[in-house]
Amino acid sequence: MTLDFLVKGKLKIRMDNYVKNMLEDFPIKFNKDSKQETPAGNDLLEAGKGKLLNAEYRQIFHTTVARGLYVSMRARLDIHPTITMLASRVREPTESDWKKCVRMMRYLFCTLLYHLTLSAESLRVMKWMIDASFAVHPDFKSHTGGTLSFGGGAAQVMSKKQKLNSRSSTEPELIAVDDVVMMILWTKLFMEWQGYPIEKNILYQDNKSAILLEENGRKSTGKRSLAINIRYFFITDQVEKGNVKIEYCPTDNMIADFMTSHCKVRSFASSGI
C-alpha cells in the first residue's frame, strides 16, 4: 500500500501492485481490448445458479474474494459492495458466482490506476451518509450502505445485507442507521482520543419519514411503523444526547447510494472518492 502525500492537503492511497498481483494469479487473462465500466451488474444479488465449482476453482474463487476484500477496505472502495456479496458465496460458489467474480476482475484490470483520495475540510466535522435499498435480495431483505467523509473521499464504508425483512421503504432506512450507528459512535470517540474533539457528527439521509422516526422515536410512528423493534430507536437517544445530528440529503447527492446500487455506471472510484 502506497500513501501518497505529494499533493498538499490530500492523501492518495494506492495498491496498484497488489491489484496487479491479483490479476497475475487469476487464471483468466485480460488484454487491452477488455472493457468493463462497472464491477457488477443487475444480477449481483441474485442467488447462485448453475453447477457448483470444482475444488480447484472453489479455492481460486475463495482466494480472489479474500484478497479483494482486503483491497476493497483500503484503496478500492468501488468494489466493496461487489466483494461483500461474493464473500457470502465462498462456501458453495456456483458458475454464476464465478462469472460475477470474472466481471469484477475484468473491471479491476480496466481501472488498474484508480485509487482512493482523501482530504479534509475539518477533522472536527464528520459527515456520514446512510442509505438503504428496499427488498433487493432474493429473500426480500434490504441492503445497507454507508460512507464517512471529512470533506473529500470516503474514510470508511459499509455495504451489508440487512438481517430482517421490512414492510415499507422507510423501515430499512431506520435499520440501516442501526447497522452503522456503532461505527458512528466509535469513530467519534476514536477521533477525540487522537486530539480532535468532534464539533459536528452529521448523519445524512434521503428519507424524511425515517428522519422523523429517528429524531422523535415512537411519537412519529404510524400504522405501518408501529411494529418496529424498539432497538431501532437507539439513535433517538443519541440524537437527544447530542452525539449525532441528522440532516436531510437529496437522493441525487446521496453518496452512500454507491454502496447499495451495485451496477452504477458512474464509478465510485472515478468520482474522486
Side-chain angles (χ1 to χ4, degrees):
M1 184 160 53
T2 301
L3 304 180
D4 180 350
F5 292 94
L6 291 178
V7 179
K8 186 177 180 181
K10 292 185 178 182
L11 166 62
K12 295 183 179 182
I13 303 176
R14 303 179 184 275
M15 296 183 70
D16 301 350
N17 290 334
Y18 185 93
V19 176
K20 284 180 182 178
N21 290 335
M22 285 181 63
L23 291 164
E24 288 173 0
D25 294 339
F26 198 63
I28 297 178
K29 305 303 177 184
F30 308 105
N31 56 48
K32 61 181 181 180
D33 296 323
S34 299
K35 294 182 180 180
Q36 192 64 67
E37 292 184 338
T38 60
N42 290 321
D43 63 343
L44 178 64
L45 301 182
E46 293 180 2
K49 298 178 181 178
K51 297 179 181 179
L52 293 176
L53 299 181
N54 60 37
E56 179 186 359
Y57 273 77
R58 278 202 304 270
Q59 183 59 46
I60 294 171
F61 182 88
H62 196 156
T63 301
T64 301
V65 170
R67 296 172 75 178
L69 189 60
Y70 182 82
V71 74
S72 78
M73 294 296 293
R74 289 160 176 80
R76 293 304 303 265
L77 310 186
D78 48 327
I79 68 167
H80 187 64
T82 303
I83 208 72
T84 55
M85 292 310 303
L86 293 179
S88 69
R89 303 294 306 165
V90 293
R91 289 188 178 182
E92 296 184 328
T94 64
E95 292 172 335
S96 64
D97 297 320
W98 176 252
K99 290 179 180 178
K100 295 170 187 176
C101 182
V102 172
R103 174 180 176 135
M104 182 196 72
M105 293 300 289
R106 185 185 300 112
Y107 171 78
L108 284 176
F109 176 84
C110 295
T111 60
L112 184 60
L113 299 181
Y114 281 12
H115 57 267
L116 174 65
T117 301
L118 297 175
S119 61
E121 297 171 358
S122 171
L123 290 177
R124 291 177 170 79
V125 178
M126 299 197 305
K127 299 178 180 180
W128 296 86
M129 291 196 175
I130 300 178
D131 196 25
S133 289
F134 176 52
V136 292
H137 288 273
D139 56 3
F140 300 105
K141 290 181 180 177
S142 301
H143 199 91
T144 292
T147 65
L148 163 65
S149 176
F150 287 92
Q156 290 195 66
V157 297
M158 175 182 284
S159 178
K160 63 177 292 187
K161 180 181 179 180
Q162 296 185 356
K163 294 183 178 180
L164 73 164
N165 292 94
S166 45
R167 299 180 299 171
S168 70
S169 59
T170 296
E171 286 185 17
E173 298 281 354
L174 193 61
I175 295 168
V177 170
D178 188 75
D179 285 341
V180 186
V181 69
M182 289 297 104
M183 187 186 293
I184 293 174
L185 299 177
W186 180 90
T187 306
K188 178 178 183 291
L189 292 173
F190 176 82
M191 292 300 296
E192 290 175 343
W193 275 94
Q194 306 312 305
Y196 299 97
I198 298 301
E199 298 170 359
K200 293 181 180 180
N201 195 9
I202 308 171
L203 190 167
Y204 291 101
Q205 282 192 285
D206 60 3
N207 187 303
K208 292 184 177 180
S209 297
I211 293 174
L212 285 174
L213 286 167
E214 290 153 3
E215 291 182 333
N216 302 324
R218 287 290 189 189
K219 291 181 290 184
S220 291
T221 56
K223 290 182 179 180
R224 301 185 67 184
S225 54
L226 277 173
I228 296 178
N229 194 305
I230 191 65
R231 64 174 286 189
Y232 298 112
F233 292 107
F234 173 77
I235 187 66
T236 308
D237 182 51
Q238 298 303 313
V239 171
E240 291 177 354
K241 290 178 178 178
N243 290 327
V244 183
K245 180 182 179 182
I246 303 175
E247 294 186 6
Y248 176 73
C249 173
T251 300
D252 289 344
N253 299 329
M254 177 52 66
I255 294 175
D257 189 37
F258 286 103
M259 292 293 118
T260 62
S261 301
H262 311 288
C263 55
K264 286 285 186 181
V265 174
R266 179 181 173 228
S267 162
F268 190 65
S270 63
S271 65
I273 297 168

